[in-house]
Amino acid sequence: MNEEEIFEYYHARAVIAGPGRLIKSGKEASVYRCPAHPNQACREVAVKIYKDIETRSFKSAKSYLDGRIGRSVRKRRDILHMLSDPDTMQAYWVDAERDALERLYAAGCPVPRPLGASSRAIAMEFILDGDEAAPRLIEAEPDAAEAGALMAALLGAVRTMLAADLVHGDLSPYNVLVRGGLPVVIDFPQAADARYSSRAFELLARDLRNVVAYFEKLGLRGCPEPEGLAAELWASYASGELYRERQAAELARSWGLDGLVGAARA
């Protein structure tokens, strides 16, 4: 599917009202800002179109696949088969991000609401802060009070992700948006499943180092020590504590009491 066909696909499914304009072009994907279809609850839609996988570099593809496709395809021959078929790899890459978004949105994590996926693209809520596009955290320039709230919420999001068996794997101020003074985490194609990944703890620790380093650079006092926080979170995950938290949060949301669970944990 080319860009025009992708826009037609989402228009036919009442996701967008028409084609959008390019707002970001990276090595792996381009993002378009589209008007939302009247049936949608959001005002605008982000359509993320992955570039042809054959034009991208995947020197570390095996490490990216580790922990994101489960143990059933961990064998060398299965990974090599996937890497030898560009169409299969492309579809998997898109589906990995769709799956992560859906799981995290259902878990109450601050991520864009997923709206659909095709073989080359994902549609999701376009994050606005008022009437403008929400800035990336690296661009937000929060004051001390705002920075403290942002760090607490972002560390909470990392905890929620891990409770849903996911580690972002590339978390930084460049893939966190700020809406209403709170973070919205984006870009999940590299997310690792903590149940299977041999690098899950390593990736978790790296994510936390990136987050803490940003806030320390802002001059925020009282930042946690990232290695210790990673060890504490991982112990809570391994013991099942985070799973129990997730179950309680899901039950509370079904009763409309999700705010009370978050307040009790805080």
Side-chain angles (χ1 to χ4, degrees):
M1 299 172 74
N2 59 34
E3 282 80 359
E4 182 178 349
E5 291 170 332
I6 289 169
F7 292 137
E8 290 175 356
Y9 174 90
Y10 287 116
H11 181 265
R13 285 156 179 77
V15 174
I16 62 174
R21 61 182 178 87
L22 179 67
I23 60 169
K24 178 185 176 184
S25 182
K27 291 184 292 183
E28 296 179 353
S30 296
V31 180
Y32 292 81
R33 182 176 179 176
C34 304
H37 190 278
N39 287 356
Q40 295 297 329
C42 55
R43 285 188 284 166
E44 298 186 62
V45 173
V47 176
K48 182 176 183 179
I49 301 178
Y50 278 84
K51 296 181 177 179
D52 187 338
I53 201 164
E54 293 182 289
T55 68
R56 293 186 266 147
S57 173
F58 280 87
K59 294 179 181 178
S60 301
K62 184 176 178 180
S63 64
Y64 276 119
L65 289 170
D66 179 27
R68 293 193 292 129
I69 46 181
R71 297 191 181 278
S72 62
V73 287
R74 289 282 296 277
K75 294 181 181 179
R76 177 178 174 82
R77 64 175 181 273
D78 297 319
I79 293 175
L80 290 175
H81 171 72
M82 178 173 283
L83 296 179
S84 69
D85 180 1
D87 290 339
T88 301
M89 187 66 181
Q90 181 83 55
Y92 168 72
W93 207 256
V94 175
D95 192 61
E97 182 158 21
R98 175 206 57 77
D99 178 68
L101 276 175
E102 290 183 351
R103 286 166 62 182
L104 293 174
Y105 186 80
C109 194
V111 299
R113 182 163 66 93
L115 300 174
S118 63
S119 60
R120 275 196 62 206
I122 298 173
M124 67 194 84
E125 169 193 10
F126 185 85
I127 304 301
L128 294 166
D129 189 27
D131 293 326
E132 302 297 326
R136 294 181 301 171
L137 180 56
I138 197 70
E139 304 158 342
E141 299 181 353
D143 61 28
E146 293 168 335
L150 273 167
M151 184 181 71
L154 191 49
L155 294 178
V158 172
R159 185 182 185 94
T160 301
M161 282 188 262
L162 188 57
D165 300 311
L166 287 172
V167 177
H168 188 284
D170 193 30
L171 190 60
S172 79
Y174 292 91
N175 46 36
V176 175
L177 304 178
V178 180
R179 175 175 61 186
L182 294 173
V184 179
V185 185
I186 60 173
D187 292 341
F188 289 93
Q190 72 295 313
D193 193 315
R195 295 170 296 181
Y196 307 122
S197 175
S198 62
R199 300 181 62 219
F201 177 75
E202 172 192 343
L203 295 172
L204 175 66
R206 186 176 71 184
D207 283 352
L208 291 170
R209 283 196 300 271
N210 290 342
V211 170
V212 171
Y214 167 77
F215 288 105
E216 286 181 335
K217 190 174 181 180
L218 286 181
L220 185 65
R221 297 181 178 181
C223 293
E225 194 281 310
E227 302 297 337
L229 180 58
E232 179 184 332
L233 273 177
W234 192 255
S236 295
Y237 177 70
S239 70
E241 178 185 345
L242 297 191
Y243 174 77
R244 292 188 290 273
E245 282 184 9
R246 187 181 79 189
Q247 294 294 96
E250 289 173 354
L251 183 60
R253 279 195 298 274
S254 71
W255 290 347
L257 302 173
D258 44 313
L260 294 179
V261 171
R265 195 177 71 198

